[in-house]
Amino acid sequence: MITNFLYCIDYPAQSDSVTETDRLAGWLLCSRKLLSVEVQNNNMGCVVDYGLHRPDVAQHFKNFPASAQSGFSITASESKINPNKPLSLKALVEDDKGNSVQLCWEMGLTLSKIQLIEIDDEKTTYDALYDEAEKRFEATLRKYPWLTIRMDITNKCNLKCIMCHYKEEAIYSRPTQAITADELDRKLHDIAPYVKHIMLSCGFEPLMSKHFHDILGMLHTKYPHIETAFCTNAMLLNAKVRKSIIENDVTHVLFSLDGVNSATVGRIRVGADFKKIISHILALKALKQQFKRQEPLMFMDFVLMNSNIHEAPAFVEMCAQLGINIIDFRHLVGNIFFSEHAEMLSANKARYNYYRPLIIEAAKKFSMDVRLPEPYETDEQYTPEGIPEVSLDEFNSIVADAQTESVTPPTETLRHSGTESDFSFLNAATCLRPFNEIMIGEEGKVLPCAYYNDAMGWLNEDTTLSRIFFGDNFKLVRRRKLFGRFDHNCLNCPIMANLLPTDTVK
């Protein structure tokens, strides 16, 4: 029997300097029906009051039993509670057959942090199975590099898109940070034998970095087996950048664009010049053709909104002419920096369902691979009214950027990287990200993906990516995914919510 306890201590607050207290308060969820909870070895005279009203918790954890009555208060009358020591609890829960089962566990008292306790009667069996799987995983990874490293090489951007954190003054006014080629080399050197792919941008514009060209050169020279990629708005994709892309064997370039004309693109991606962007992409396409190269593969991201979805079918045709390989259509993901929730198609599901087959029809017509979220479940019907006419006239008037630089293409690089078939023994895992991704965030925070809440470690002088990836925190997440266990750090995953589709539409 597996039982999960999920809890957070709200009082005292994390900001309080507390060495002892006579009261704790917060919320406690259980994956089973929780009948009662009390403190074991109660020499502090603790009284547990459980079942307090917490509608805020119910809003975020709808799948847990009685989440709306998950609040608790623990009051000590005999002596103080030390927040630096765990509290032994005894809970009575209902098992699958309706019987009452007593479970004992230690509540760590870290303040203001969501914490998970997993109690498993078959832990010994699963430990053996996981140890075997982890050993096989590490051995296979040594033979077939499979990891993707995701990181930003700068914290600056040249646009202020309406849905992006960078439009906030608190973000764009930060002092400039930019990693050098040598610094990146030091981060990579120990994990590089296991790496298949590196993405040099996550939330900022990599072409803003003065070290961009040196970084591409270092990766191509020192780690030629690693596929190199970056995401860009293409405003700075000039001849020098295009030269670096070809000469340093960049394998993937991802563009971000959300419309087929200057008006739409300029409104969403504030500061963008549609004509310049298109001319730069056309010039890169021409350079690939000049040197008869398949790479870099060119991907395109289109953020689906109420105000631009009518342009999506024409966007497919435009991308076909640009030489794009795959279009990622993705829903707008709400965040604390974005308040225009009327733009979210989750508020206009029928509208999305109307345009989705039109996008697929265009993809088939122009032989374009697209990734597209599934239709919404709704009985509502949408009839387009007052929709602006969509034209590619402006796009068709744009020519490739005439700026050129002499390019010496490299010899073809032979890469032997891992594929999912090499790791087919992981097919039962509910998510492969902890097995094949490392996200390096700000200040060296290391995560299994951009959407995971808890850090796996911090990259600094005292540790390395290899130690973190093969360390206990990463292994615990891999174990949870391998056996389909609950992980509260994944509750806000946009991939699970089908906001970011991962498969091409057939």
Side-chain angles (χ1 to χ4, degrees):
M1 183 178 85
I2 300 171
T3 305
N4 292 120
F5 291 99
L6 190 68
Y7 69 95
C8 182
I9 297 171
D10 302 328
Y11 176 86
Q14 186 179 30
S15 58
D16 297 337
S17 179
V18 179
T19 56
E20 58 179 23
T21 182
D22 57 7
R23 179 174 174 267
L24 298 172
W27 52 266
L28 169 65
L29 296 170
C30 182
S31 57
R32 300 180 180 277
K33 185 177 181 179
L34 182 56
L35 304 175
S36 67
V37 60
E38 57 185 87
V39 175
Q40 294 187 75
N41 306 319
N42 197 359
N43 56 4
M44 292 176 289
C46 289
V47 176
V48 181
D49 186 8
Y50 182 77
L52 306 179
H53 194 45
R54 289 298 299 259
D56 56 326
V57 178
Q59 182 179 357
H60 292 282
F61 301 101
K62 299 175 182 177
N63 295 330
F64 276 86
S67 56
Q69 282 74 45
S70 59
F72 74 85
S73 175
I74 301 177
T75 305
S77 58
E78 302 297 330
S79 62
K80 299 290 186 179
I81 301 172
N82 184 349
N84 297 313
K85 294 182 179 180
L87 201 60
S88 298
L89 297 183
K90 179 168 59 178
L92 200 63
V93 304
E94 191 175 278
D95 68 11
D96 295 335
K97 298 179 181 179
N99 300 318
S100 298
V101 178
Q102 181 175 285
L103 300 174
C104 298
W105 55 286
E106 298 287 304
M107 173 184 269
L109 303 185
T110 302
L111 305 178
S112 306
K113 179 183 178 181
I114 298 177
Q115 299 177 76
L116 173 66
I117 300 293
E118 181 180 89
I119 300 176
D120 182 1
D121 291 344
E122 299 180 290
K123 184 177 183 299
T124 303
T125 301
Y126 280 109
D127 280 349
L129 290 172
Y130 176 71
D131 288 345
E132 181 181 346
E134 179 73 18
K135 289 177 182 177
R136 185 176 179 185
F137 166 65
E138 293 184 17
T140 307
L141 194 60
R142 291 188 187 95
K143 294 173 60 179
Y144 305 108
W146 197 42
L147 299 183
T148 291
I149 304 290
R150 298 186 187 275
M151 63 182 298
D152 279 300
I153 60 173
T154 183
N155 65 341
K156 294 298 176 181
C157 188
N158 52 337
L159 302 182
K160 293 184 173 66
C161 305
I162 63 171
M163 62 287 195
C164 181
H165 65 297
Y166 196 75
K167 72 178 186 298
E168 302 298 316
E169 183 178 4
I171 304 297
Y172 69 71
S173 62
R174 291 176 179 174
T176 299
Q177 295 180 5
I179 187 172
T180 67
D182 287 342
E183 288 169 341
L184 179 56
D185 185 18
R186 288 195 293 272
K187 292 179 189 294
L188 284 180
H189 77 279
D190 72 309
I191 199 73
Y194 312 106
V195 176
K196 172 181 180 179
H197 185 89
I198 185 168
M199 169 61 74
L200 298 175
S201 50
C202 297
F204 300 95
E205 173 55 58
L207 301 186
M208 292 285 287
S209 171
K210 64 182 180 181
H211 305 294
F212 177 77
H213 303 283
D214 291 338
I215 286 173
L216 290 192
M218 182 276 294
L219 290 171
H220 178 60
T221 302
K222 298 199 70 172
Y223 307 108
H225 72 282
I226 297 179
E227 300 174 357
T228 303
F230 64 93
C231 182
T232 176
N233 56 49
M235 284 286 290
L236 303 176
L237 195 78
N238 56 32
K240 183 179 179 181
V241 174
R242 299 192 294 267
K243 169 186 171 73
S244 272
I245 288 172
I246 299 299
E247 290 187 341
N248 293 301
D249 205 17
V250 172
T251 56
H252 302 74
V253 179
L254 289 73
F255 303 110
S256 299
L257 202 60
D258 313 298
V260 298
N261 56 61
S262 292
T264 302
V265 172
R267 176 180 56 78
I268 296 173
R269 298 194 173 267
V270 179
D273 183 329
F274 176 73
K275 293 181 179 180
K276 178 182 285 189
I277 291 169
I278 296 300
S279 71
H280 285 167
I281 298 175
L282 286 170
L284 181 57
K285 174 190 174 184
L287 199 60
K288 287 175 57 179
Q289 292 174 334
Q290 177 185 344
F291 292 101
K292 297 181 173 58
R293 294 181 63 86
Q294 297 298 314
E295 295 179 341
L297 299 178
M298 300 197 300
F299 293 4
M300 185 72 81
D301 280 349
F302 183 105
V303 179
L304 294 159
M305 306 183 194
N306 270 313
S307 64
N308 71 354
I309 191 171
H310 63 286
E311 295 186 15
F315 189 82
V316 175
E317 179 180 356
M318 184 182 80
C319 286
Q321 295 186 47
L322 286 172
I324 300 299
N325 297 93
I326 296 178
I327 305 173
D328 270 322
F329 288 103
R330 51 186 62 198
H331 284 306
L332 181 61
V333 179
N335 57 68
I336 61 172
F337 304 107
F338 186 73
S339 59
E340 297 184 44
H341 296 288
E343 280 280 22
M344 297 182 185
L345 286 160
S346 56
N348 201 338
K349 298 176 181 178
R351 183 182 178 94
Y352 172 69
N353 289 354
Y354 173 85
Y355 281 104
R356 186 178 188 275
L358 299 181
I359 297 170
I360 294 173
E361 181 181 342
K364 291 179 179 178
K365 179 179 179 180
F366 296 102
S367 301
M368 175 63 66
D369 285 335
V370 299
R371 298 186 180 116
L372 195 62
E374 291 296 318
Y376 284 112
E377 293 184 7
T378 178
D379 294 328
E380 295 180 15
Q381 298 297 313
Y382 172 76
T383 302
E385 294 180 358
I387 304 298
E389 182 180 349
V390 180
S391 169
L392 292 181
D393 289 348
E394 182 182 12
F395 166 75
N396 289 327
S397 70
I398 303 171
V399 297
D401 180 24
Q403 183 186 34
T404 60
E405 289 202 11
S406 177
V407 176
T408 304
T411 56
E412 185 176 355
T413 301
L414 297 177
R415 298 182 176 93
H416 181 60
S417 300
T419 64
E420 287 195 14
S421 62
D422 297 315
F423 295 83
S424 59
F425 57 92
L426 300 174
N427 284 348
T430 54
C431 177
L432 290 175
R433 296 291 179 101
F435 294 91
N436 63 13
E437 286 208 9
I438 299 175
M439 167 81 183
I440 307 175
E442 292 186 78
E443 300 178 2
K445 183 179 182 180
V446 179
L447 300 163
C449 83
Y451 309 110
Y452 201 82
N453 290 333
D454 278 355
M456 300 293 96
W458 297 84
L459 188 58
N460 52 45
E461 295 179 357
D462 297 325
T463 190
T464 65
L465 280 178
S466 184
R467 288 178 187 170
I468 294 173
F469 184 73
F470 295 112
D472 291 342
N473 291 339
F474 248 111
K475 286 181 178 180
L476 177 60
V477 179
R478 288 197 285 270
R479 175 192 170 103
R480 288 172 179 168
K481 300 309 175 189
L482 192 61
F483 296 123
R485 302 299 175 82
F486 172 76
D487 192 333
H488 69 285
N489 290 290
C490 301
L491 289 176
N492 294 319
C493 174
I495 296 174
M496 290 175 60
N498 196 33
L499 297 173
L500 304 179
T502 56
D503 297 322
T504 54
V505 176
K506 303 299 182 183

